[in-house]
Amino acid sequence: MLRESLSRYSVGDRLPSSRALREQYGVGPVTVSRAIALLAAEGVVVSRPGAGVFRAAPPRRPAAGDLSWQEVALSAHPASAPAAGAAGVTATLAPPPPGVIDLNGGYPAVALQPERALAAALARAGRRPGTWGRPPLEGLPELRGWFAREIAGPEGLLTAADVLITTGGQAALTTALRSLAAPGAPVLVESPTYPGILAVARTAGLRPVPVPLDRDGIRTDLLAEAFRATGARLLVCQPLYHNPTGAVLSAERRAETLRIARAAGAFVVEDDFARRLAHADAPPPPAPMAAHDPDGVVVHIASLTKAASPSLRVAALAARGPAMERLRATHVVDSLFVPRPIQETALELVAAPAWRSHLRRLAETLHRRRETLAAALRRELPRLPPPALPYGGFHLWQRLPDRADEGALAAAALRAGVAVTPGRPYFPAEPPAPHLRLSIIAADSPEHLDEAARRLRAAAAAVASAPEIR
């Protein structure tokens, strides 16, 4: 309302005082202060301490130049083609339009975030001496030590010196792939896999080579052959609650994966993004591969973001031996360091009893949501094969009939009011079948999951190529 009223003032006119604005609009002083700060940031008002707030002159916008030269310059850049791979990542980050139920996003809805615990942790962190000072380049020693114990146990192979704090799991993946493989080199990835892995690899000039997986994780019989055929020295995998299939790498294949990688002289990047997203009915998860790796084959990635908040971008890269120095150098060049207030907040959060309580509630909530969406899909779309229900993670991987057009179905679903993710971006090569990835973590409530299945049925009815889905 205040923005609309600015048209009554000429440039240089003084706006009413804060008290007058509070009385005029019936709001508190904090609301008035925020509104003025927002308008000042937009450049439509200017605040002069001791004098008041004044209408600013409209900004002068220079005439647009000719940008067509960029098309030639960018087409000659070797990163131009891989940049298209970012679409698989950005699609899951974009908020859906108003009224659309989000089965696309990969971050917890506000109702699932530990907002009070985060606010309390941030307040305590803000009172710590030195919070706004420069942190060590590798991260706070206390936070690195916490991650080391979480990954390898209190008496495990890792210490704080083996851990590097990064700004989220995606940054950790970028650092790992850029550090451990040269441009042009092959990198083995699961098929399907998280599109962010493919985007990082391609942007770094690497060549992703798919290795299929099944319900027991990556197929080690094919893994050994892939190492032999390609000469790759790097494998990226998600052994626990795999994205998008939910698979858990079996104990036998864990040991075999390490044996094969060690024989090939290769590193294994273990993206353990979902360890804190176990569902309430999950059996005890296996320890990370990094916990049983005396030879430094595994480079482990752990993150707090998925279980807490998209804005708590704190993750850890754990490695032993000379690889750590390579990782550290790349991280410092790219990011310098992770802001200390964020690290202090993360440390306060994980040390508080409220953190464990939050994880228990989150496990129960994810279990209920998984069952709710699975039941709704069986009811509304009974011709679809039931998805394998994962014991962790935040999504269901829904197989579609062979002739179904997943892109057309996703577009129809958006028109019907539900955002879903087509399966194609998850495959490094041609997919063997069409799929949808259906998130259970981003919707506002379980009731929205029920409604989403009904809208998905309506979308299938609107797609001519999907009669076998309804």
Side-chain angles (χ1 to χ4, degrees):
M1 292 184 290
L2 181 57
R3 180 183 283 105
E4 284 75 15
S5 71
L6 291 178
S7 59
R8 301 199 302 264
Y9 300 91
S10 300
V11 173
D13 284 354
R14 184 178 183 274
L15 272 63
S17 66
S18 294
R19 177 178 294 180
L21 291 173
R22 294 199 304 269
E23 293 175 353
Q24 178 180 349
Y25 294 108
V27 296
V30 174
T31 301
V32 171
S33 297
R34 287 180 175 173
I36 291 174
L38 179 60
L39 294 175
E42 294 175 358
V44 295
V45 301
V46 58
S47 180
R48 298 171 185 160
V53 179
F54 300 84
R55 176 72 188 272
R60 297 180 60 185
R61 300 188 182 278
D66 181 6
L67 305 180
S68 58
W69 66 272
Q70 293 186 3
E71 186 174 353
V72 177
L74 292 174
S75 66
H77 195 284
S80 59
V89 180
T90 56
T92 62
L93 294 175
V100 173
I101 298 173
D102 191 358
L103 299 191
N104 179 54
Y107 292 110
V110 172
L112 274 64
Q113 297 174 20
E115 284 194 307
R116 294 179 62 181
L118 283 165
L122 181 61
R124 291 193 300 272
R127 293 192 294 269
R128 283 190 172 196
T131 288
W132 290 96
R134 185 179 66 187
L137 296 179
E138 301 85 356
L140 297 180
E142 300 89 345
L143 186 58
R144 295 162 66 201
W146 180 84
F147 270 113
R149 293 187 295 275
E150 286 285 300
I151 296 167
E155 299 179 357
L157 295 166
L158 298 177
T159 68
D162 303 314
V163 174
L164 181 70
I165 302 301
T166 69
T167 51
Q170 189 70 18
L173 279 169
T174 301
T175 297
L177 268 65
R178 289 187 59 232
S179 300
L180 302 175
V187 53
L188 305 187
V189 298
E190 297 156 318
S191 181
T193 191
Y194 164 53
I197 293 173
L198 302 177
V200 167
R202 289 168 177 153
T203 303
L206 306 178
R207 179 166 55 89
V209 177
V211 181
L213 52 73
D214 56 26
R215 288 305 305 167
D216 290 325
I218 195 166
R219 288 185 52 186
T220 47
D221 57 330
L222 300 176
L223 177 63
E225 175 57 30
F227 273 120
R228 283 193 296 270
T230 64
R233 295 299 181 93
L234 184 61
L235 163 68
V236 186
C237 63
Q238 297 177 318
L240 185 65
Y241 312 140
H242 173 265
N243 180 9
T245 68
V248 176
L249 190 61
S250 67
E252 295 78 11
R253 292 191 186 180
R254 285 170 178 266
E256 184 67 359
T257 297
L258 288 179
R259 186 196 66 76
I260 292 171
R262 189 181 297 111
F267 288 101
V268 175
V269 175
E270 180 184 25
D271 184 8
D272 202 19
F273 78 101
R275 184 164 293 273
R276 294 167 186 84
L277 300 178
H279 299 177
D281 62 342
M289 289 196 291
H292 303 290
D293 171 38
D295 300 323
V297 172
V298 178
V299 174
H300 183 92
I301 297 175
S303 174
L304 295 176
T305 305
K306 294 290 188 187
S309 163
S311 291
L312 189 70
R313 303 208 61 76
V314 173
L317 259 175
R320 298 172 62 243
M324 173 50 75
E325 185 56 35
R326 182 77 62 88
L327 295 166
R328 177 184 181 275
T330 302
H331 168 71
V332 170
V333 168
D334 287 349
S335 306
L336 296 184
F337 49 78
V338 178
R340 183 163 187 153
I342 295 294
Q343 294 191 60
E344 296 280 8
T345 299
L347 193 57
E348 289 285 352
L349 177 67
V350 299
W355 175 242
R356 293 298 173 188
S357 299
H358 163 67
L359 293 181
R360 287 192 295 270
R361 289 193 299 271
L362 183 61
E364 294 165 358
T365 301
L366 291 174
H367 176 229
R368 286 196 300 271
R369 286 180 171 230
R370 182 196 76 197
E371 294 299 305
T372 297
L373 182 56
L377 291 173
R378 289 193 297 268
R379 182 182 65 248
E380 303 295 338
L381 298 165
R383 294 188 183 182
L384 285 181
L389 300 185
Y391 282 117
F394 56 90
H395 49 262
L396 301 182
W397 184 237
Q398 179 62 66
R399 172 74 148 81
L400 300 178
D402 289 340
R403 290 175 293 171
D405 185 336
E406 62 181 36
L409 181 57
L414 189 60
R415 292 192 295 270
V418 56
V420 299
T421 312
R424 178 63 185 88
Y426 292 80
F427 290 91
E430 291 78 8
H435 291 80
L436 293 179
R437 195 194 75 159
L438 308 174
S439 172
I440 61 173
I441 203 171
D444 290 333
S445 70
E447 290 74 23
H448 281 89
L449 299 178
D450 264 321
E451 176 61 23
R454 287 190 284 271
R455 296 182 184 185
L456 197 55
R457 180 187 63 188
V463 177
S465 62
E468 61 275 277
I469 295 178
R470 302 187 296 277

